[in-house]
Amino acid sequence: MSRRKEMQRLIRAYKEETKVTEIDMKRVAKWAAGRGWPLPSPPDPLDLLAKQFTEAAREVVEYDKKTGKPYRIYHALKTSHGGTQLHFFVDIEEATRTQMHVSLGLRREQMVSDGLMLSYDQDHWNDVHPDEEPIQLPMDLSFDIELRKHAPDEGESAA
């Protein structure tokens, strides 16, 4: 059994033993460690620092001089080198069209994957709760995006 599958089995065992319906993963980890599950090795400090820089880069936002609307400065790209997948960032001002197209496509694919799983979860919940009103969330986000584009900025009051 893979490590992930074994962890998933332990989550189920924790839930069955404790009878909780809202699962706190820190409590699951403590429970599993108490039953001999090996604690992970501390992360490499350089890997940890690189992760912190990645998180910081994703938060860098500037504002368009014409529209005043926010945009992200650093955009992630993936590449393979010698069988290893590498991630790097490009500055939006310096990115080639190809780099931006790839980066935006990756983010769109993440949205599609999230939407697909959301629809499966929604369908399953509706199937196992036939006596309740079905949950039906629209998957076309165009209207919601347009609403947010035209919403007052934080700090501005609605007219």
Side-chain angles (χ1 to χ4, degrees):
M1 183 179 299
S2 75
R3 182 174 170 84
R4 286 241 189 228
K5 292 285 184 196
E6 183 65 13
M7 291 175 90
Q8 293 163 357
R9 189 190 65 74
L10 283 171
I11 293 168
R12 171 78 50 200
Y14 170 83
K15 185 174 177 272
E16 289 170 2
E17 182 178 305
T18 63
K19 308 291 188 234
V20 298
T21 57
E22 294 180 355
I23 304 165
D24 177 338
M25 291 303 170
K26 190 157 190 176
R27 289 185 178 178
V28 172
K30 185 176 180 179
W31 178 87
R35 282 157 181 74
W37 186 265
L39 292 172
S41 301
D44 176 340
L46 196 55
D47 288 342
L48 184 57
L49 183 58
K51 183 178 178 186
Q52 291 171 350
F53 273 108
T54 295
E55 291 166 0
R58 287 189 170 132
E59 294 174 0
V60 179
V61 172
E62 291 289 334
Y63 293 86
D64 187 277
K65 289 175 180 48
K66 291 183 205 169
T67 66
K69 300 294 181 189
Y71 62 93
R72 287 188 184 171
I73 293 291
Y74 297 108
H75 290 260
L77 291 168
K78 289 191 282 190
T79 187
S80 293
H81 183 68
T84 303
Q85 193 172 70
L86 304 171
H87 295 82
F88 62 95
F89 287 82
V90 292
D91 184 312
I92 194 170
E93 301 290 335
E94 301 163 352
T96 65
R97 184 181 193 287
T98 299
Q99 288 172 324
M100 270 319 286
H101 194 263
V102 168
S103 179
L104 296 172
L106 288 171
R107 286 180 50 207
R108 185 178 187 281
E109 279 303 310
Q110 290 170 351
M111 291 171 61
V112 170
S113 294
D114 284 347
L116 176 63
M117 203 64 220
L118 179 96
S119 71
Y120 289 156
D121 295 346
Q122 173 183 275
D123 293 347
H124 180 76
W125 188 90
N126 289 337
D127 286 346
V128 299
H129 294 90
D131 297 334
E132 296 200 49
E133 180 181 351
I135 297 172
Q136 296 296 327
L137 298 176
M139 289 295 136
D140 181 351
L141 303 177
S142 301
F143 180 71
D144 303 78
I145 292 168
E146 285 305 311
L147 280 178
R148 291 208 184 167
K149 276 185 175 180
H150 300 290
D153 292 333
E154 284 184 32
E156 287 183 25
S157 60

